[in-house]
């Protein structure tokens, strides 16, 4: 039986950087404090994904979401019609957002949702911060819709599993982006397109084929720094800024002095943004071991270093 004492303990665990699984109406989520780079890096490590995808920040009330993103009138209208519920909206991040850049994979946007489940809402209210919560399964496995699924898949990697019985919707939330002029369906899910279009009074755009890299609509889908990146650099050349790791440590920006890939992931986007903000032409990046989260870090760096399409 889940009572308010248990909810408060789970909320404390989240605030202390722990990972907890909790039910939502869509699927069970693996939650982490969205404002902590370290907690979010731990979450990516636990899921074992080979790349960083942007995560959804969950909050207990629409008003809270409205402070974390810049909502157009249409985005607000949709949120007010369907929250709490299986709708995620993607909007520009608010200025000085407390949400970790790693949570949104370095993008200038943020995905927000108010889930419709009493336990999830009670937990989010007690935590009183945004919580990222991708499905509580290992990467590549099916999403869990019961606490037993979570236990089977993640077992010891999660401090607590709040049991709220089977999820009523059972598929992920519908994701609608307001980053372009027209509202765009990024992922079909638990809320039907028809229901959304009825409220908007017009059709949704459909995300252009994501298999086509660098099509105009896709430009924002990956954060690319302005500076060029030179990878596997053991030391900076003249005029370059250096992003170090472990023993390769030349200057103020080192992803992890002790050579820890989870710590490096936590610092990755923030340090890239900071270095990029200095206006340097080239950022030389130390070699990162290809193990654990190192795989996702290298995936991200490779994309950021790839030749840019001419604009
Ligand atoms: P999940 O949390 O695993 O259910 O999935 C998150 C979904 O939201 C993925 O399809 C992401 O691509 C999408 N998403 C999250 N944040 C953003 C964002 N800032 N921009 C675009 N899509 C996002
Ligand atoms: Mg999933």
């Amino acid at each position: 039986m889940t009572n308010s004492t248990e909810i408060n303990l789970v909320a404390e665990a989240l605030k202390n950087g722990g990972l907890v699984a909790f039910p939502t109406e869509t699927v069970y989520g693996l939650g982490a404090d969205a404002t902590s780079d370290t907690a979010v890096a731990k979450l990516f490590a636990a899921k074992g994904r080979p790349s960083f995808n942007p995560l959804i920040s969950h909050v207990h009330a629409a008003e809270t979401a409205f402070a974390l993103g810049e909502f157009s009138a249409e985005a607000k209208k949709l949120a007010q019609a369907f929250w709490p519920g299986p709708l995620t909206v993607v909007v520009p991040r608010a200025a000085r957002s407390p949400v970790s850049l790693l949570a949104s994979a370095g993008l200038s946007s943020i995905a927000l949702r108010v889930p419709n489940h009493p336990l999830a809402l009670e937990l989010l209210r007690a935590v009183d911060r945004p919580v990222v919560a991708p499905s509580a399964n290992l990467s590549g496995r099916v999403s869990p819709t019961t606490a037993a699924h979570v236990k089977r898949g993640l077992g010891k990697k999660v401090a607590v599993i709040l049991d709220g019985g089977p999820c009523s919707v059972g598929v992920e939330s519908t994701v609608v982006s307001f980053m372009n002029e027209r509202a765009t369906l990024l992922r079909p899910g638990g809320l039907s397109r028809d229901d959304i279009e009825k409220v908007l009074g017009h059709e949704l755009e459909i995300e252009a084929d994501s298999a086509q890299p660098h099509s105009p609509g896709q430009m924002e889908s990956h954060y690319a720094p302005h500076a060029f990146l030179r990878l596997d650099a053991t030391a900076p050349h003249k005029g370059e800024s250096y992003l170090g790791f472990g023993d390769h440590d030349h200057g103020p920006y080192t992803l992890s002095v002790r050579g820890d890939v989870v710590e490096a992931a936590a610092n990755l986007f923030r340090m890239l943004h900071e270095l990029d903000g200095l206006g340097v032409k080239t950022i030389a990046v130390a070699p990162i071991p290809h193990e654990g989260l190192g795989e996702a870090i290298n995936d991200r760096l490779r994309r950021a270093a790839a030749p840019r399409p001419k604009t």
Side-chain angles (χ1 to χ4, degrees):
M1 182 67 207
T2 306
N3 54 35
S4 59
T5 318
E6 186 179 355
I7 293 277
N8 286 331
L9 282 175
V10 176
E12 278 311 304
L14 272 172
K15 285 195 217 177
N16 291 326
L19 303 182
V20 308
F22 63 93
T24 77
E25 80 281 32
T26 60
V27 302
Y28 274 72
L30 182 60
D33 177 354
T35 67
S36 162
D37 287 327
T38 311
V40 177
K42 251 167 73 179
L43 189 153
F44 277 115
K47 283 201 50 117
R49 271 193 120 249
S51 61
F52 298 122
N53 61 329
L55 303 174
I56 299 166
S57 289
H58 295 72
V59 293
H60 71 90
E63 289 305 320
T64 314
F66 296 162
L68 294 170
E70 287 169 20
F71 281 71
S72 63
E74 244 195 1
K76 253 191 184 163
K77 188 172 168 192
L78 211 57
Q80 273 157 343
F82 296 112
W83 281 349
L87 167 75
T88 294
V89 300
V90 175
V91 293
R93 279 168 79 93
R96 287 179 299 277
S97 168
V99 173
S100 155
L101 269 179
L102 181 60
S104 51
L107 298 172
S108 58
S109 54
I110 183 168
L112 291 156
R113 178 165 109 84
V114 181
N116 187 17
H117 191 291
L119 272 185
L121 289 171
E122 211 185 317
L123 176 62
L124 291 168
R125 203 171 296 116
V127 176
D128 201 25
R129 331 185 162 160
V131 171
V132 284
S135 55
N137 55 294
L138 291 175
S139 171
R141 302 294 171 77
V142 290
S143 297
T145 54
T146 66
H149 292 165
V150 179
K151 189 145 198 210
R152 213 172 300 145
L154 287 175
K156 294 200 175 75
K157 291 190 178 177
V158 32
V160 198
I161 304 172
L162 271 181
D163 191 347
C167 302
S168 58
V169 176
V171 294
E172 273 87 353
S173 60
T174 302
V175 182
V176 178
S177 168
F178 290 89
M179 294 303 289
N180 297 316
E181 218 151 288
R182 289 174 57 87
T184 305
L185 180 69
L186 297 186
R187 177 178 79 182
L191 178 65
S192 79
R193 194 172 138 193
D194 268 5
D195 286 348
I196 294 170
E197 291 177 344
K198 256 180 229 141
V199 169
L200 291 180
H202 61 77
E203 290 187 357
L204 285 170
E205 296 284 310
I206 307 296
E207 165 89 310
D209 183 5
S210 47
Q212 261 185 335
H214 302 311
S215 72
Q218 291 286 98
M219 290 303 289
E220 246 287 313
S221 65
H222 291 296
Y223 162 71
H226 295 289
F228 287 97
L229 294 194
R230 187 168 68 81
L231 305 185
D232 292 318
T234 49
H237 293 162
K238 196 159 174 272
E240 290 180 341
S241 284
Y242 194 68
L243 186 57
F245 180 88
D247 292 339
H248 299 294
D249 176 7
H250 306 274
Y253 291 94
T254 300
L255 290 169
S256 169
V257 175
R258 61 173 196 269
D260 171 2
V261 285
V262 178
E263 183 182 29
N267 287 326
L268 179 68
F269 290 106
R270 186 174 44 79
M271 288 191 176
L272 278 177
H273 272 272
E274 284 178 24
L275 280 168
D276 213 23
L278 301 177
V280 295
K281 202 154 162 259
T282 304
I283 302 170
V285 187
I288 312 292
H290 213 65
E291 54 201 40
L293 273 190
E295 199 183 348
I297 295 172
N298 283 319
D299 168 78
R300 201 65 210 82
L301 287 171
R302 224 174 18 248
R303 288 166 196 265
R308 314 286 159 75
K310 296 206 171 60
T311 45

